Amino acid sequence: MRICYTTPLGDPREAAGLFAGIEAAGYDAAFSFESSHDPFIPLALAAGATSSIRLGTAVAIGFARNPMILANIGYDLQLLTEGRFVLGLGSQIRPHIENRFSERWGRPAARMREMVRAIRAIWDAWQTGGELAFEGEFYRHTLMTPAFDPGPNPFGTAPILVGGFGPAMVGVAGEVADGLVVHPFNSRRSVEETTLPALDAGLARAGRRREEVEVIWVTNVVTWDDDAEREHALLMARAQLAFYGSTPAYRPPMELHGWADLQPALRALSKRGAWEEMAALVPDEMLETLAVVGPRDEIADRIVDRVAGLERVDLALVNNRNPDPAYFADVVAALRARI
């Protein structure tokens, strides 16, 4: 099991030191994500400040961009990181794509499948010097003149991961991607009963083997050293889960565990901006099911228990958006001793 970190970033100017600290803390990979800042610029800064850690997006919103833009970004970051870049793409949900990014929405699984193939076609043309002739339902890339062709990347092409939640998008990862990023709003049971079977179905459709696709499970971790820290950590975690739970697309894990009635209540409060009231509705059982929760001296064992027996699943730790790369350094060391 590789240990990864999803990296909150309040100020892109701090990216170099932040990612260097993550590498020093012993992680195998560090991922930026699309939030209030661009997810790619911090990785360009991190490339020169690190030497061994994998750097990637988990995730960047694919539908806010097009395959040519993503191919250029992926090429350059693969070059800057000297082969350590991972392009992780997600679809987001319709309101954000249409109303935040002002882009088109429709048939997201089919569109993501084609997006991955289009990026690979562009990279292949650059690597081989062959003709660019990709014509799909959503994307068409048939023009590549020498002025815009960077030529072969000396570090090869980057892996492409797909962030998936529902079975259709998870299946796309199995069909065409190099890996799957599992959303943090999942339990061990939902991963076993819903996510991995959907991945296997996608693999089967493409005639691929499980070992061809890496799985990174982004997992909320809630821990503390004393009672004061405990209350704050639990409050932040409840707020995050309430935010996820307010989105109808994230309803399935709640249904699986018997909390389906909570979803519309959270959604109604979110429309009023009643964020504190939302957090108060998250029961202890839901928190402990959808996150790894416990005091500092027990948390490594609980993390191992969460993923025990799940073959070829890597873990990306999320600590309620704590930007301190050293915060989990002792936990990472304890995990190393157990895996």
Side-chain angles (χ1 to χ4, degrees), residues 222-224 227-243 275-282 284 287 293 320:
V222 187
T223 192
W224 56 84
D227 288 343
E229 279 191 5
R230 177 181 182 276
E231 292 307 311
H232 177 70
L234 292 176
L235 177 61
M236 293 292 290
R238 289 181 200 279
Q240 185 65 43
L241 293 180
F243 170 73
W275 306 111
E276 291 185 8
E277 293 179 49
M278 289 168 60
L281 291 183
V282 175
D284 291 345
L287 178 61
V293 182
N320 300 321

PDB file of all heavy atoms in Angstrom, residues 222-224 227-243 275-282 284 287 293 320:
ATOM      1  N   VAL A 222      -9.665  11.531  10.969  1.00  0.00           N
ATOM      2  CA  VAL A 222     -10.000  12.477  12.035  1.00  0.00           C
ATOM      3  C   VAL A 222      -9.288  12.019  13.307  1.00  0.00           C
ATOM      4  O   VAL A 222      -9.612  10.961  13.869  1.00  0.00           O
ATOM      5  CB  VAL A 222     -11.523  12.529  12.274  1.00  0.00           C
ATOM      6  CG1 VAL A 222     -11.853  13.634  13.267  1.00  0.00           C
ATOM      7  CG2 VAL A 222     -12.277  12.731  10.967  1.00  0.00           C
ATOM      8  N   THR A 223      -8.317  12.790  13.750  1.00  0.00           N
ATOM      9  CA  THR A 223      -7.552  12.387  14.929  1.00  0.00           C
ATOM     10  C   THR A 223      -7.208  13.603  15.779  1.00  0.00           C
ATOM     11  O   THR A 223      -7.380  14.746  15.361  1.00  0.00           O
ATOM     12  CB  THR A 223      -6.283  11.621  14.504  1.00  0.00           C
ATOM     13  OG1 THR A 223      -5.696  11.000  15.643  1.00  0.00           O
ATOM     14  CG2 THR A 223      -5.278  12.545  13.830  1.00  0.00           C
ATOM     15  N   TRP A 224      -6.712  13.332  16.986  1.00  0.00           N
ATOM     16  CA  TRP A 224      -6.453  14.403  17.941  1.00  0.00           C
ATOM     17  C   TRP A 224      -5.489  13.930  19.016  1.00  0.00           C
ATOM     18  O   TRP A 224      -5.264  12.726  19.215  1.00  0.00           O
ATOM     19  CB  TRP A 224      -7.772  14.831  18.599  1.00  0.00           C
ATOM     20  CG  TRP A 224      -8.489  13.670  19.254  1.00  0.00           C
ATOM     21  CD1 TRP A 224      -8.279  13.150  20.504  1.00  0.00           C
ATOM     22  CD2 TRP A 224      -9.507  12.848  18.651  1.00  0.00           C
ATOM     23  NE1 TRP A 224      -9.098  12.072  20.730  1.00  0.00           N
ATOM     24  CE2 TRP A 224      -9.865  11.861  19.613  1.00  0.00           C
ATOM     25  CE3 TRP A 224     -10.154  12.847  17.417  1.00  0.00           C
ATOM     26  CZ2 TRP A 224     -10.842  10.894  19.366  1.00  0.00           C
ATOM     27  CZ3 TRP A 224     -11.125  11.880  17.176  1.00  0.00           C
ATOM     28  CH2 TRP A 224     -11.459  10.925  18.142  1.00  0.00           C
ATOM     29  N   ASP A 227      -8.436  16.604  24.390  1.00  0.00           N
ATOM     30  CA  ASP A 227      -9.877  16.839  24.285  1.00  0.00           C
ATOM     31  C   ASP A 227     -10.213  18.089  23.477  1.00  0.00           C
ATOM     32  O   ASP A 227     -11.199  18.110  22.731  1.00  0.00           O
ATOM     33  CB  ASP A 227     -10.491  16.944  25.688  1.00  0.00           C
ATOM     34  CG  ASP A 227     -10.538  15.598  26.399  1.00  0.00           C
ATOM     35  OD1 ASP A 227     -10.405  14.562  25.700  1.00  0.00           O
ATOM     36  OD2 ASP A 227     -10.688  15.578  27.627  1.00  0.00           O
ATOM     37  N   ALA A 228      -9.400  19.123  23.632  1.00  0.00           N
ATOM     38  CA  ALA A 228      -9.674  20.359  22.898  1.00  0.00           C
ATOM     39  C   ALA A 228      -9.542  20.123  21.396  1.00  0.00           C
ATOM     40  O   ALA A 228     -10.378  20.567  20.598  1.00  0.00           O
ATOM     41  CB  ALA A 228      -8.715  21.461  23.349  1.00  0.00           C
ATOM     42  N   GLU A 229      -8.512  19.418  21.005  1.00  0.00           N
ATOM     43  CA  GLU A 229      -8.320  19.095  19.584  1.00  0.00           C
ATOM     44  C   GLU A 229      -9.430  18.172  19.097  1.00  0.00           C
ATOM     45  O   GLU A 229      -9.869  18.267  17.955  1.00  0.00           O
ATOM     46  CB  GLU A 229      -6.966  18.416  19.373  1.00  0.00           C
ATOM     47  CG  GLU A 229      -5.802  19.355  19.300  1.00  0.00           C
ATOM     48  CD  GLU A 229      -4.542  18.642  18.829  1.00  0.00           C
ATOM     49  OE1 GLU A 229      -4.619  17.444  18.472  1.00  0.00           O
ATOM     50  OE2 GLU A 229      -3.476  19.279  18.826  1.00  0.00           O
ATOM     51  N   ARG A 230      -9.875  17.284  19.966  1.00  0.00           N
ATOM     52  CA  ARG A 230     -10.899  16.309  19.577  1.00  0.00           C
ATOM     53  C   ARG A 230     -12.180  17.014  19.142  1.00  0.00           C
ATOM     54  O   ARG A 230     -12.748  16.706  18.084  1.00  0.00           O
ATOM     55  CB  ARG A 230     -11.196  15.361  20.734  1.00  0.00           C
ATOM     56  CG  ARG A 230     -12.311  14.352  20.458  1.00  0.00           C
ATOM     57  CD  ARG A 230     -12.556  13.465  21.678  1.00  0.00           C
ATOM     58  NE  ARG A 230     -13.579  12.477  21.409  1.00  0.00           N
ATOM     59  CZ  ARG A 230     -14.897  12.685  21.521  1.00  0.00           C
ATOM     60  NH1 ARG A 230     -15.339  13.896  21.907  1.00  0.00           N
ATOM     61  NH2 ARG A 230     -15.762  11.738  21.247  1.00  0.00           N
ATOM     62  N   GLU A 231     -12.633  17.955  19.915  1.00  0.00           N
ATOM     63  CA  GLU A 231     -13.886  18.631  19.594  1.00  0.00           C
ATOM     64  C   GLU A 231     -13.792  19.382  18.266  1.00  0.00           C
ATOM     65  O   GLU A 231     -14.714  19.358  17.453  1.00  0.00           O
ATOM     66  CB  GLU A 231     -14.265  19.593  20.728  1.00  0.00           C
ATOM     67  CG  GLU A 231     -14.641  18.903  22.022  1.00  0.00           C
ATOM     68  CD  GLU A 231     -15.726  17.846  21.812  1.00  0.00           C
ATOM     69  OE1 GLU A 231     -16.748  18.155  21.154  1.00  0.00           O
ATOM     70  OE2 GLU A 231     -15.540  16.716  22.290  1.00  0.00           O
ATOM     71  N   HIS A 232     -12.668  20.049  18.065  1.00  0.00           N
ATOM     72  CA  HIS A 232     -12.497  20.796  16.816  1.00  0.00           C
ATOM     73  C   HIS A 232     -12.426  19.844  15.620  1.00  0.00           C
ATOM     74  O   HIS A 232     -13.052  20.086  14.573  1.00  0.00           O
ATOM     75  CB  HIS A 232     -11.226  21.643  16.883  1.00  0.00           C
ATOM     76  CG  HIS A 232     -10.935  22.392  15.619  1.00  0.00           C
ATOM     77  ND1 HIS A 232     -11.690  23.462  15.190  1.00  0.00           N
ATOM     78  CD2 HIS A 232      -9.971  22.196  14.661  1.00  0.00           C
ATOM     79  CE1 HIS A 232     -11.216  23.915  14.047  1.00  0.00           C
ATOM     80  NE2 HIS A 232     -10.177  23.165  13.697  1.00  0.00           N
ATOM     81  N   ALA A 233     -11.661  18.753  15.751  1.00  0.00           N
ATOM     82  CA  ALA A 233     -11.504  17.799  14.654  1.00  0.00           C
ATOM     83  C   ALA A 233     -12.834  17.164  14.278  1.00  0.00           C
ATOM     84  O   ALA A 233     -13.169  17.022  13.093  1.00  0.00           O
ATOM     85  CB  ALA A 233     -10.490  16.722  15.036  1.00  0.00           C
ATOM     86  N   LEU A 234     -13.632  16.791  15.276  1.00  0.00           N
ATOM     87  CA  LEU A 234     -14.929  16.174  15.001  1.00  0.00           C
ATOM     88  C   LEU A 234     -15.886  17.158  14.347  1.00  0.00           C
ATOM     89  O   LEU A 234     -16.643  16.794  13.440  1.00  0.00           O
ATOM     90  CB  LEU A 234     -15.532  15.623  16.298  1.00  0.00           C
ATOM     91  CG  LEU A 234     -14.812  14.432  16.930  1.00  0.00           C
ATOM     92  CD1 LEU A 234     -15.462  14.064  18.255  1.00  0.00           C
ATOM     93  CD2 LEU A 234     -14.813  13.233  15.999  1.00  0.00           C
ATOM     94  N   LEU A 235     -15.851  18.401  14.782  1.00  0.00           N
ATOM     95  CA  LEU A 235     -16.730  19.416  14.198  1.00  0.00           C
ATOM     96  C   LEU A 235     -16.391  19.641  12.723  1.00  0.00           C
ATOM     97  O   LEU A 235     -17.281  19.700  11.859  1.00  0.00           O
ATOM     98  CB  LEU A 235     -16.610  20.728  14.976  1.00  0.00           C
ATOM     99  CG  LEU A 235     -17.436  21.901  14.423  1.00  0.00           C
ATOM    100  CD1 LEU A 235     -18.926  21.578  14.448  1.00  0.00           C
ATOM    101  CD2 LEU A 235     -17.147  23.171  15.231  1.00  0.00           C
ATOM    102  N   MET A 236     -15.095  19.767  12.413  1.00  0.00           N
ATOM    103  CA  MET A 236     -14.671  19.965  11.037  1.00  0.00           C
ATOM    104  C   MET A 236     -15.057  18.775  10.162  1.00  0.00           C
ATOM    105  O   MET A 236     -15.498  18.935   9.018  1.00  0.00           O
ATOM    106  CB  MET A 236     -13.160  20.185  10.981  1.00  0.00           C
ATOM    107  CG  MET A 236     -12.699  21.471  11.632  1.00  0.00           C
ATOM    108  SD  MET A 236     -13.237  22.945  10.713  1.00  0.00           S
ATOM    109  CE  MET A 236     -12.214  22.793   9.256  1.00  0.00           C
ATOM    110  N   ALA A 237     -14.905  17.575  10.702  1.00  0.00           N
ATOM    111  CA  ALA A 237     -15.239  16.377   9.931  1.00  0.00           C
ATOM    112  C   ALA A 237     -16.739  16.287   9.670  1.00  0.00           C
ATOM    113  O   ALA A 237     -17.170  15.929   8.571  1.00  0.00           O
ATOM    114  CB  ALA A 237     -14.759  15.139  10.685  1.00  0.00           C
ATOM    115  N   ARG A 238     -17.537  16.606  10.672  1.00  0.00           N
ATOM    116  CA  ARG A 238     -18.994  16.586  10.475  1.00  0.00           C
ATOM    117  C   ARG A 238     -19.407  17.603   9.402  1.00  0.00           C
ATOM    118  O   ARG A 238     -20.281  17.327   8.573  1.00  0.00           O
ATOM    119  CB  ARG A 238     -19.711  16.902  11.791  1.00  0.00           C
ATOM    120  CG  ARG A 238     -19.632  15.817  12.837  1.00  0.00           C
ATOM    121  CD  ARG A 238     -20.404  16.230  14.084  1.00  0.00           C
ATOM    122  NE  ARG A 238     -19.992  15.471  15.231  1.00  0.00           N
ATOM    123  CZ  ARG A 238     -20.412  14.242  15.519  1.00  0.00           C
ATOM    124  NH1 ARG A 238     -21.284  13.656  14.730  1.00  0.00           N
ATOM    125  NH2 ARG A 238     -19.978  13.608  16.595  1.00  0.00           N
ATOM    126  N   ALA A 239     -18.782  18.759   9.425  1.00  0.00           N
ATOM    127  CA  ALA A 239     -19.110  19.783   8.436  1.00  0.00           C
ATOM    128  C   ALA A 239     -18.774  19.308   7.025  1.00  0.00           C
ATOM    129  O   ALA A 239     -19.544  19.529   6.076  1.00  0.00           O
ATOM    130  CB  ALA A 239     -18.357  21.073   8.755  1.00  0.00           C
ATOM    131  N   GLN A 240     -17.621  18.635   6.879  1.00  0.00           N
ATOM    132  CA  GLN A 240     -17.232  18.146   5.556  1.00  0.00           C
ATOM    133  C   GLN A 240     -18.189  17.068   5.060  1.00  0.00           C
ATOM    134  O   GLN A 240     -18.615  17.073   3.900  1.00  0.00           O
ATOM    135  CB  GLN A 240     -15.804  17.603   5.607  1.00  0.00           C
ATOM    136  CG  GLN A 240     -15.246  17.187   4.253  1.00  0.00           C
ATOM    137  CD  GLN A 240     -15.088  18.359   3.298  1.00  0.00           C
ATOM    138  OE1 GLN A 240     -14.617  19.428   3.703  1.00  0.00           O
ATOM    139  NE2 GLN A 240     -15.476  18.191   2.048  1.00  0.00           N
ATOM    140  N   LEU A 241     -18.545  16.138   5.932  1.00  0.00           N
ATOM    141  CA  LEU A 241     -19.465  15.072   5.534  1.00  0.00           C
ATOM    142  C   LEU A 241     -20.860  15.620   5.244  1.00  0.00           C
ATOM    143  O   LEU A 241     -21.546  15.144   4.337  1.00  0.00           O
ATOM    144  CB  LEU A 241     -19.533  13.998   6.621  1.00  0.00           C
ATOM    145  CG  LEU A 241     -18.249  13.187   6.839  1.00  0.00           C
ATOM    146  CD1 LEU A 241     -18.450  12.162   7.943  1.00  0.00           C
ATOM    147  CD2 LEU A 241     -17.790  12.504   5.559  1.00  0.00           C
ATOM    148  N   ALA A 242     -21.277  16.618   5.994  1.00  0.00           N
ATOM    149  CA  ALA A 242     -22.581  17.233   5.736  1.00  0.00           C
ATOM    150  C   ALA A 242     -22.589  17.917   4.375  1.00  0.00           C
ATOM    151  O   ALA A 242     -23.585  17.854   3.640  1.00  0.00           O
ATOM    152  CB  ALA A 242     -22.907  18.242   6.835  1.00  0.00           C
ATOM    153  N   PHE A 243     -21.476  18.553   4.037  1.00  0.00           N
ATOM    154  CA  PHE A 243     -21.360  19.199   2.721  1.00  0.00           C
ATOM    155  C   PHE A 243     -21.491  18.165   1.607  1.00  0.00           C
ATOM    156  O   PHE A 243     -22.254  18.353   0.646  1.00  0.00           O
ATOM    157  CB  PHE A 243     -20.023  19.928   2.634  1.00  0.00           C
ATOM    158  CG  PHE A 243     -19.686  20.433   1.260  1.00  0.00           C
ATOM    159  CD1 PHE A 243     -20.347  21.533   0.721  1.00  0.00           C
ATOM    160  CD2 PHE A 243     -18.713  19.810   0.505  1.00  0.00           C
ATOM    161  CE1 PHE A 243     -20.037  22.005  -0.550  1.00  0.00           C
ATOM    162  CE2 PHE A 243     -18.402  20.269  -0.774  1.00  0.00           C
ATOM    163  CZ  PHE A 243     -19.069  21.362  -1.298  1.00  0.00           C
ATOM    164  N   TRP A 275     -24.856  26.097   7.390  1.00  0.00           N
ATOM    165  CA  TRP A 275     -23.785  25.110   7.444  1.00  0.00           C
ATOM    166  C   TRP A 275     -23.601  24.526   8.846  1.00  0.00           C
ATOM    167  O   TRP A 275     -23.332  23.319   8.990  1.00  0.00           O
ATOM    168  CB  TRP A 275     -22.486  25.751   6.954  1.00  0.00           C
ATOM    169  CG  TRP A 275     -22.633  26.383   5.610  1.00  0.00           C
ATOM    170  CD1 TRP A 275     -22.604  27.716   5.317  1.00  0.00           C
ATOM    171  CD2 TRP A 275     -22.883  25.717   4.358  1.00  0.00           C
ATOM    172  NE1 TRP A 275     -22.803  27.920   3.974  1.00  0.00           N
ATOM    173  CE2 TRP A 275     -22.981  26.715   3.364  1.00  0.00           C
ATOM    174  CE3 TRP A 275     -23.028  24.381   3.995  1.00  0.00           C
ATOM    175  CZ2 TRP A 275     -23.207  26.423   2.026  1.00  0.00           C
ATOM    176  CZ3 TRP A 275     -23.261  24.083   2.654  1.00  0.00           C
ATOM    177  CH2 TRP A 275     -23.351  25.079   1.690  1.00  0.00           C
ATOM    178  N   GLU A 276     -23.733  25.322   9.878  1.00  0.00           N
ATOM    179  CA  GLU A 276     -23.565  24.796  11.236  1.00  0.00           C
ATOM    180  C   GLU A 276     -24.688  23.817  11.583  1.00  0.00           C
ATOM    181  O   GLU A 276     -24.459  22.792  12.228  1.00  0.00           O
ATOM    182  CB  GLU A 276     -23.509  25.933  12.245  1.00  0.00           C
ATOM    183  CG  GLU A 276     -22.249  26.782  12.139  1.00  0.00           C
ATOM    184  CD  GLU A 276     -22.178  27.833  13.235  1.00  0.00           C
ATOM    185  OE1 GLU A 276     -23.027  27.794  14.155  1.00  0.00           O
ATOM    186  OE2 GLU A 276     -21.276  28.692  13.170  1.00  0.00           O
ATOM    187  N   GLU A 277     -25.891  24.131  11.166  1.00  0.00           N
ATOM    188  CA  GLU A 277     -27.009  23.220  11.407  1.00  0.00           C
ATOM    189  C   GLU A 277     -26.798  21.904  10.663  1.00  0.00           C
ATOM    190  O   GLU A 277     -27.153  20.830  11.172  1.00  0.00           O
ATOM    191  CB  GLU A 277     -28.319  23.863  10.947  1.00  0.00           C
ATOM    192  CG  GLU A 277     -28.748  25.067  11.775  1.00  0.00           C
ATOM    193  CD  GLU A 277     -30.043  25.661  11.253  1.00  0.00           C
ATOM    194  OE1 GLU A 277     -31.003  24.898  11.023  1.00  0.00           O
ATOM    195  OE2 GLU A 277     -30.090  26.893  11.051  1.00  0.00           O
ATOM    196  N   MET A 278     -26.241  21.957   9.486  1.00  0.00           N
ATOM    197  CA  MET A 278     -25.973  20.742   8.723  1.00  0.00           C
ATOM    198  C   MET A 278     -25.012  19.828   9.472  1.00  0.00           C
ATOM    199  O   MET A 278     -25.241  18.624   9.592  1.00  0.00           O
ATOM    200  CB  MET A 278     -25.389  21.097   7.355  1.00  0.00           C
ATOM    201  CG  MET A 278     -26.376  21.731   6.398  1.00  0.00           C
ATOM    202  SD  MET A 278     -25.549  22.441   4.945  1.00  0.00           S
ATOM    203  CE  MET A 278     -24.752  20.992   4.246  1.00  0.00           C
ATOM    204  N   ALA A 279     -23.926  20.377   9.979  1.00  0.00           N
ATOM    205  CA  ALA A 279     -22.931  19.575  10.685  1.00  0.00           C
ATOM    206  C   ALA A 279     -23.538  18.890  11.899  1.00  0.00           C
ATOM    207  O   ALA A 279     -23.209  17.736  12.210  1.00  0.00           O
ATOM    208  CB  ALA A 279     -21.749  20.447  11.100  1.00  0.00           C
ATOM    209  N   ALA A 280     -24.446  19.572  12.569  1.00  0.00           N
ATOM    210  CA  ALA A 280     -25.059  19.005  13.772  1.00  0.00           C
ATOM    211  C   ALA A 280     -25.938  17.799  13.468  1.00  0.00           C
ATOM    212  O   ALA A 280     -26.224  16.987  14.361  1.00  0.00           O
ATOM    213  CB  ALA A 280     -25.879  20.079  14.484  1.00  0.00           C
ATOM    214  N   LEU A 281     -26.364  17.652  12.217  1.00  0.00           N
ATOM    215  CA  LEU A 281     -27.222  16.522  11.851  1.00  0.00           C
ATOM    216  C   LEU A 281     -26.446  15.228  11.592  1.00  0.00           C
ATOM    217  O   LEU A 281     -27.049  14.156  11.538  1.00  0.00           O
ATOM    218  CB  LEU A 281     -28.025  16.867  10.586  1.00  0.00           C
ATOM    219  CG  LEU A 281     -29.112  17.925  10.707  1.00  0.00           C
ATOM    220  CD1 LEU A 281     -29.846  18.073   9.378  1.00  0.00           C
ATOM    221  CD2 LEU A 281     -30.103  17.577  11.818  1.00  0.00           C
ATOM    222  N   VAL A 282     -25.143  15.308  11.431  1.00  0.00           N
ATOM    223  CA  VAL A 282     -24.345  14.116  11.116  1.00  0.00           C
ATOM    224  C   VAL A 282     -24.174  13.270  12.368  1.00  0.00           C
ATOM    225  O   VAL A 282     -23.538  13.699  13.334  1.00  0.00           O
ATOM    226  CB  VAL A 282     -22.976  14.504  10.538  1.00  0.00           C
ATOM    227  CG1 VAL A 282     -22.105  13.269  10.324  1.00  0.00           C
ATOM    228  CG2 VAL A 282     -23.149  15.273   9.233  1.00  0.00           C
ATOM    229  N   ASP A 284     -22.933  10.194  14.998  1.00  0.00           N
ATOM    230  CA  ASP A 284     -21.628   9.589  15.271  1.00  0.00           C
ATOM    231  C   ASP A 284     -21.373   8.385  14.374  1.00  0.00           C
ATOM    232  O   ASP A 284     -20.253   8.194  13.879  1.00  0.00           O
ATOM    233  CB  ASP A 284     -21.548   9.158  16.738  1.00  0.00           C
ATOM    234  CG  ASP A 284     -21.500  10.337  17.696  1.00  0.00           C
ATOM    235  OD1 ASP A 284     -21.238  11.468  17.233  1.00  0.00           O
ATOM    236  OD2 ASP A 284     -21.726  10.124  18.905  1.00  0.00           O
ATOM    237  N   LEU A 287     -20.226   9.413  10.927  1.00  0.00           N
ATOM    238  CA  LEU A 287     -18.868   9.928  10.974  1.00  0.00           C
ATOM    239  C   LEU A 287     -17.854   8.789  11.028  1.00  0.00           C
ATOM    240  O   LEU A 287     -16.879   8.759  10.273  1.00  0.00           O
ATOM    241  CB  LEU A 287     -18.708  10.844  12.183  1.00  0.00           C
ATOM    242  CG  LEU A 287     -17.322  11.447  12.432  1.00  0.00           C
ATOM    243  CD1 LEU A 287     -16.889  12.305  11.257  1.00  0.00           C
ATOM    244  CD2 LEU A 287     -17.321  12.253  13.722  1.00  0.00           C
ATOM    245  N   VAL A 293     -11.657   7.454  12.443  1.00  0.00           N
ATOM    246  CA  VAL A 293     -11.745   8.365  13.586  1.00  0.00           C
ATOM    247  C   VAL A 293     -11.082   7.736  14.808  1.00  0.00           C
ATOM    248  O   VAL A 293     -11.328   6.561  15.118  1.00  0.00           O
ATOM    249  CB  VAL A 293     -13.222   8.682  13.918  1.00  0.00           C
ATOM    250  CG1 VAL A 293     -13.312   9.670  15.066  1.00  0.00           C
ATOM    251  CG2 VAL A 293     -13.945   9.215  12.688  1.00  0.00           C
ATOM    252  N   ASN A 320      -9.083  17.087   7.178  1.00  0.00           N
ATOM    253  CA  ASN A 320      -9.918  18.278   7.328  1.00  0.00           C
ATOM    254  C   ASN A 320      -9.232  19.553   6.849  1.00  0.00           C
ATOM    255  O   ASN A 320      -9.305  20.602   7.475  1.00  0.00           O
ATOM    256  CB  ASN A 320     -10.347  18.446   8.796  1.00  0.00           C
ATOM    257  CG  ASN A 320     -11.141  17.263   9.281  1.00  0.00           C
ATOM    258  OD1 ASN A 320     -11.960  16.715   8.557  1.00  0.00           O
ATOM    259  ND2 ASN A 320     -10.877  16.837  10.495  1.00  0.00           N
TER     260      ASN A 320
END
